[in-house]
Amino acid sequence: MSRIGRKHIDIPAGVTVEFKNGVVTVKGKLGELKQEINCKDINVVVNGGVCNVERANDEKQTRAYHGLYRQLIANMVAGVQTEFTKTLIVSGVGYKVAVTGNKLVMNIGYSKPVEYVIPQGIKITCPDTLTIVVSGISKEFVGEVAAQIKAKRPVEPYHGYGLHYSNEVVLRKEAKTAGKK
């Protein structure tokens, strides 16, 4: 049996979890999230303050979905209480970022500034000119938006210029040394 799928999800006060017609709906103080369960062998049972994900058989694909959907529901419960955040660091000479209106404007070494339109349900802040903080209630959407922003200027391995996550280790390569004596 899946170790992740077996764990129950504690539902805190102020959060409601509902399972109808194959869709799990989680409501909390920060908003509402929905997740469709695409496997007919997976069932979500809500009893009081506890949510359990159960499976009907031990087929390989059903076991995989068991742990997946349990963790997605747990992330939804956590997200409607406190927002998920990802922090990106901008490193490079003359690089800077700022939020203007509903756009993130990045001067990251191209001839023109790169503009990224902030999607609905995501908050982007820039505490300083070299930091971008992406936050929202959906963990997977926050990660997707952060990855899209990071892809605008991948980290260059020799000087470390570009965008990277705050907890990411940037591997640096050694420069050429053949001509030096």
Side-chain angles (χ1 to χ4, degrees):
M1 203 170 185
S2 169
R3 285 184 261 169
I4 299 292
R6 277 188 303 198
K7 292 182 180 179
H8 65 275
I9 303 165
D10 292 323
I11 302 171
V15 176
T16 60
V17 178
E18 193 175 81
F19 181 63
K20 285 185 182 175
N21 300 327
V23 177
V24 176
T25 305
V26 179
K27 294 179 187 174
K29 64 180 179 180
L30 296 179
E32 177 181 338
L33 292 171
K34 293 185 179 192
Q35 175 66 46
E36 186 176 343
I37 306 293
N38 292 327
C39 182
K40 62 181 176 1
D41 297 326
I42 298 294
N43 187 29
V44 179
V45 179
V46 181
N47 288 331
V50 176
C51 177
N52 288 316
V53 179
E54 299 172 350
R55 66 176 190 237
N57 57 44
D58 279 340
E59 292 178 13
K60 186 174 183 177
Q61 189 63 50
T62 306
R63 288 192 318 244
Y65 281 141
H66 187 213
L68 170 74
Y69 285 124
R70 185 261 173 214
Q71 193 58 45
L72 289 175
I73 295 168
N75 287 342
M76 290 165 52
V77 169
V80 296
Q81 287 183 288
T82 57
E83 292 186 326
F84 292 103
T85 61
K86 285 241 182 210
T87 305
L88 291 138
I89 305 297
V90 180
S91 57
V93 177
Y95 288 14
K96 61 182 178 178
V97 293
V99 175
T100 57
N102 68 338
K103 291 183 180 178
L104 173 66
V105 180
M106 302 176 279
N107 293 314
I108 49 176
Y110 296 118
S111 60
K112 295 180 181 178
V114 177
E115 293 183 348
Y116 181 80
V117 178
I118 301 171
Q120 189 80 20
I122 294 291
K123 287 185 255 177
I124 296 180
T125 57
C126 297
D128 56 45
T129 59
L130 297 176
T131 307
I132 303 168
V133 178
V134 181
S135 59
I137 62 173
S138 174
K139 186 174 186 176
E140 57 188 308
F141 195 37
V142 168
E144 181 181 334
V145 169
Q148 289 173 353
I149 293 170
K150 184 181 175 224
K152 300 293 183 190
R153 180 60 118 178
V155 176
E156 181 266 331
Y158 293 101
H159 298 102
Y161 295 162
L163 297 160
H164 62 90
Y165 297 117
S166 62
N167 59 354
E168 180 181 8
V169 176
V170 177
L171 296 176
R172 303 280 298 272
K173 291 184 178 179
E174 187 176 332
K176 290 183 181 179
T177 57
K180 297 181 182 177
K181 289 188 178 188

